[in-house]
Amino acid sequence: MADDLDDVSDDEVSESSEALIAVHWRDEGYYPPPASFVAQANASDPAIREQFTEDKFPDSFTAYADLLTWFKPWDTVLDTSHAPFWKWFVGGELNASYNCVDRHLADKANKAALIWVPEPESEAHQAITYRELYVRVNEFAAVLKDLGLQAGDRITFHMPMVPELPIAMLAAARLGIVHSQVFAGFSGTAAGHRIADSGSTVLVTIDGYYRSGDLLDHKVKADEAVEAAAKEGQQVDKVLVFRRYPGQYSAKTPMVEGRDVFVDDLLAAHKGEIVEPVALQATDPLFLMYTSGTTGRPKGCQHSIGGYLSYVAGTSKYYQDIHPDDTYWCLADIGWITGHSYIVYGPLALGTTSVIYEGTPNYPDAARPWRIAKQLGVNIFHTSPTSIRMLRKVGPDEPAKYDYHFKHMTTVGEPIEPEVWRWFYESVGKGEAVIVDTWWQTETGGFLGSTLPGIDPAKPGSCGPAALGILPVILDEDGNEVPAGSGKAGNIVIRNPWPGVFQTIWGQPERFVSTYYAKYNTDPKSTDWHDWPYFAGDGATQAADGYFRILGRVDDVINVAGHRLGTKELESVALTVNEVAEAAAVPVVDEVRGRVVEMYVALKPGYEPSPEIEAKVRDAIVTDIGKIARPKNIWIVPDMPKTRSGKIMRRVIAATSNFTDTGDITTLANPEIVEKIRQQVQTAKRARGEAPKELSEAELNEIKNFGSE
């Protein structure tokens, strides 16, 4: 079996480098954009790339800044004097709220800015015009101003997908208040940590919201958040509570007198009030977005007003191909950077209609997204591989039943497996829509790698070339360039700054430098941007055609006998087996090989676990990757442990395979599955004589943190 080294030659082991991840992907074919799409695309002339070549940097990015309205033009495009704390459009003054709302009133006042779809299908959709958005943003800005909040103060939102969230964000931005939105699925304690880190004195929340048919009590988390923040020395003076249903309280948790107040009661005193947008420096912070790592102090990524807003406007225009008359739906959550960039700030800066959906994509059934798309005439659809895999699993034939037509589809958040990509293209897009598979991060603000949909053909599994003005390179551990077409992988880094990059980690400048810039910097005193490549923390390979393939986090690799196997590659191969809906690869500590691979798979409806399916998965991995990657065990489980956002929590199953503590599972959407998997896997392992091993502290930490940020 896979415990011995018979399948691995000495040459194979000695040739492997710790800097490289084994890459065995087969290159995929091209899918060119339809002529009808090219004819209307915002970018259809390849000459646009000539405007963003390295010799034109950084002035090339003024084309993005010119998409905005400035109260005062900038003096300096890029200031590198305090490298790597880059400053974009220095001296310029603007306001994000003005750019997303006010400036559209002249010609789009009666056009829908937001369309909100409640989860219960019995409830009517809400269309909010740009004029109505203007009124509501101003009134809530008046509430915040009345509380004494002003430019530079921080405010925390712990809100679900309701229109009050973008309204609150834009109201804060109007005054220059730095907002921090915490994903509603996070616990009150997690929100409290972020409140304390940011120094917020006001928490904005809601009494309840719908998720999978249940009206959840969300207010209870506010009490937990305030308590957690207090333990860290941060006092919350006010908790502002929106009501899911006007005039009625949907939570069982009581309001705290003197601290908690209903927002609609406050709004009554400011009806029709106008708050002039504050002219802010382009380099002032717009928001903090905390990354969701499971250990240590949270990282508050600080994004600027001018650089960030210009970058999301530019990438929304050219990569999402958003026109003002489009109906655009990003099926993500505003609690993540995707929602900030590509539900709120990017689309609204361009004056388009942005759809917001409250609930779960597969509630009450797997056809819900396609019904919404048909009802609203959605023509641009944006979602994550996680959601695509889930919809493919529970309703593979549903899209064909609905008469909607997308011109464009975006995937975001993680690499998408080619097999899943093809289903997305053929079934969801009906072979009509272009797909952009984007690579970027919370820290980057917007897309770094993607095809230009009106110019470049798509290639399943590859994000594409670098985005306009972005200068990536793949380096090994010693800083040597890994050539395109070499079949080798390394660390993808960005050689230059760009306007969307975050400014710092809030309150942790040293961590900012050490995490993202120190690895390949040779002169800490340099003010030359060439000396400060951005370390993304992702492994990648580049084909001869220049397209990048992202292999996942460099820490998400399994080192088998000196070969570093990317988990994303293993999982992609497993998904080529017809019966498999989801797959996760995890490491198991092994005395001989260091680590061996175990695969967890969940099946599509209608299939039952069998040795034959296990064999298919094993054979596919051996055929596509090699014997070195052959899993020690393949576990067919009823479901994967997942977060509320649908992400498989790999550390939980890694802990199960290694007989270690699964840790905190309170953030799981389905915590009950953990015990079922543990019983299944560990009982079978013991029966096979695979007794628990005593792990070192380093090994325990590796398993504990596997798959986390």
Side-chain angles (χ1 to χ4, degrees), residues 514-554:
S514 64
T515 302
Y516 300 98
Y517 289 99
K519 186 174 182 69
Y520 292 114
N521 171 258
T522 55
D523 181 6
K525 295 182 179 178
S526 175
T527 59
D528 184 341
W529 62 262
H530 295 83
D531 294 326
W532 293 97
Y534 171 84
F535 175 61
D538 280 334
T541 184
Q542 188 179 21
D545 60 12
Y547 280 39
F548 290 93
R549 194 160 200 165
I550 306 301
L551 306 178
R553 304 297 296 169
V554 293

Side-chain angles (χ1 to χ4, degrees), residues 464-478:
L468 294 171
I470 302 298
L471 307 174
V473 66
I474 298 176
L475 302 178
D476 66 17
E477 288 296 307
D478 298 321

